[in-house]
Amino acid sequence: MTSPSGEAPQLEILDLRHFSASQMRPLLRDEAKRWQQRLHWDYTHSTDLLLDYLDSRVLPGFVAVAGSRPIGYAFCVYEASKAVIGDVYAFTEAETTTNPICDRMLRHLIEMLQATPGIERVESQLLMFPAGALAEPFLSKGFRPYPRLFMLCDLRTSPLGEQARTPPRPRTFLLQPWKPDFYEAAAALIHRCYAGHMDSSINDQYRTIHGAQRFLHNIIRFPGCGVFDAENSWVLRDPSTLKLEAMILCSRVQKDVGHITQLCVSPDLRSQGLGSLLLQQCTSELLRRGYHALSLTVTESNTGARNLYERLGFQSLHRFEAMVWDKYASG
């Protein structure tokens, strides 16, 4: 896009709250297509929710404007003393490690957040961008990187798909589909499983019962990790105490692709095959419905989980980074 003089228009970074959903829709639709192409993910549910927020004019963030045309955006949300960078995207960017428009918007957003009174922590997981693509704006401001993997399993040809055709039934546990009644017990299990775990450094919601409840609320009620699939989310309970000991939560990210949003096993029951059993049960139902793929994300240094997923046929499709800034840890 050029000006009447033939020169490229100057890029401006403006407040996101000055823009309506109709102005931002072409950019968000372009991003949804990119999610579909690269990650086998129908992003339109998230796009529609974001458009609703844009029309409310309360979402904090920035827009990159060339001439009068929005060509990029970045936004965040506040959670008490923490801020989460929800997304950053620009036309033509996200495929390589050179993303000048996104870099510039991120710098504005990070500077704003670190200068905001009361904000002590900032988290970000920009799944679309390959590791290193947006590292400099984060690292220059004291963020710590955590490489993560987006993994995909072809259920038609993988060991997981074969095993799921006749999934084993647990002899010592009750296998039950998700019910809202499990909400508090599930949050307690998540908190118990992630105590001292590397992932609690990435997502501080794992560190408290209240935080784990918020995490569950977000993945069940909002489409950021796909549309929650209650009928194909499963728990294992002790038959005598009815204590919830393991859990798998699944969402739908495409009409024939599922996504695991949470898989956890009580620490004292690990290495007994319960994670594999839950994955097989979930996959069995996906195959029955005609699904062909299942995805998940995992922290790269979590070798135990990675080994399990790779053994079952998951392959790393994409390497990205979680970024965390802690005001006091950063000095």
Side-chain angles (χ1 to χ4, degrees):
M1 183 175 181
T2 58
S3 65
S5 65
E7 297 179 353
Q10 182 179 0
L11 185 69
E12 295 183 280
I13 306 297
L14 303 177
D15 192 319
L16 177 60
R17 291 169 293 186
H18 295 164
F19 294 82
S20 66
S22 61
Q23 291 173 291
M24 300 298 294
R25 185 173 283 108
L27 182 62
L28 269 62
R29 296 304 187 202
D30 186 77
E31 182 181 17
K33 291 179 182 177
R34 192 77 65 88
W35 276 78
Q36 173 70 40
Q37 293 166 357
R38 294 191 62 198
L39 302 176
H40 308 279
W41 196 302
D42 182 355
Y43 200 63
T44 55
H45 295 287
S46 295
T47 296
D48 291 342
L49 180 63
L50 185 55
L51 289 169
D52 289 340
Y53 278 115
L54 286 170
D55 267 339
S56 70
R57 306 295 179 111
V58 297
L59 195 64
F62 294 96
V63 176
V65 179
S68 60
R69 180 192 181 209
I71 62 170
Y73 79 105
F75 77 91
C76 64
V77 293
Y78 294 105
E79 298 178 1
S81 62
K82 180 177 77 172
V84 178
I85 296 177
D87 200 5
V88 58
Y89 184 76
F91 285 123
T92 75
E93 296 193 351
E95 300 291 342
T96 71
T97 56
T98 304
N99 302 281
I101 299 172
C102 289
D103 278 358
R104 187 168 168 186
M105 290 186 295
L106 264 181
R107 290 180 191 280
H108 279 75
L109 193 58
I110 292 169
E111 289 174 4
M112 179 190 77
L113 292 175
Q114 291 184 332
T116 300
I119 292 299
E120 300 174 354
R121 180 179 173 90
V122 181
E123 297 176 356
S124 173
Q125 293 196 55
L126 299 174
L127 181 58
M128 178 63 67
F129 290 83
L134 297 174
E136 206 282 330
F138 286 107
L139 297 180
S140 66
K141 293 298 183 178
F143 281 73
R144 180 176 178 180
Y146 295 87
R148 307 198 76 221
L149 302 174
F150 180 89
M151 306 186 79
L152 188 73
C153 180
D154 186 332
L155 302 179
R156 299 164 297 188
T157 60
S158 69
L160 177 60
E162 287 299 318
Q163 296 171 17
R165 298 185 192 282
T166 54
R169 294 293 174 179
R171 296 181 180 179
T172 56
F173 294 94
L174 294 175
L175 175 66
Q176 297 178 289
W178 171 265
K179 294 191 299 184
D181 292 348
F182 297 147
Y183 188 90
E184 290 187 7
L189 175 64
I190 290 172
H191 174 56
R192 190 163 77 248
C193 289
Y194 287 98
H197 193 276
M198 64 190 76
D199 285 356
S200 66
S201 297
I202 298 172
N203 183 350
D204 72 343
Q205 290 179 328
Y206 293 148
R207 300 178 185 177
T208 65
I209 294 290
H210 177 69
Q213 290 173 343
R214 286 184 59 86
F215 170 80
L216 272 177
H217 176 80
N218 289 340
I219 63 176
I220 290 172
R221 297 292 300 275
F222 297 105
C225 293
V227 178
F228 181 61
D229 187 354
E231 295 180 357
N232 197 22
S233 295
W234 304 87
V235 302
L236 290 173
R237 303 170 76 195
D238 185 295
S240 57
T241 66
L242 297 183
K243 183 180 180 182
L244 201 155
E245 299 285 14
M247 171 177 65
I248 188 169
L249 302 181
C250 185
S251 67
R252 185 182 73 253
V253 294
Q254 195 170 282
K255 64 179 182 180
D256 55 0
V257 179
H259 182 77
I260 300 303
T261 57
Q262 183 62 223
L263 174 60
C264 55
V265 176
S266 184
D268 55 344
L269 294 173
R270 289 172 184 163
S271 302
Q272 297 186 27
L274 300 185
S276 295
L277 186 150
L278 287 170
L279 280 166
Q280 291 167 26
Q281 176 64 31
C282 180
T283 298
S284 178
E285 178 65 15
L286 293 177
L287 288 170
R288 187 187 68 80
R289 297 185 193 174
Y291 281 54
H292 79 267
L294 180 63
S295 63
L296 54 81
T297 59
V298 62
T299 302
E300 188 175 54
S301 58
N302 189 353
T303 54
R306 282 183 57 196
N307 289 339
L308 169 64
Y309 301 143
E310 290 169 356
R311 186 168 68 249
L312 292 175
F314 283 86
Q315 297 182 341
S316 296
L317 189 67
H318 178 57
R319 184 173 184 264
F320 65 104
E321 286 171 322
M323 292 285 187
V324 177
W325 174 76
D326 186 294
K327 182 176 182 179
Y328 299 105
S330 301

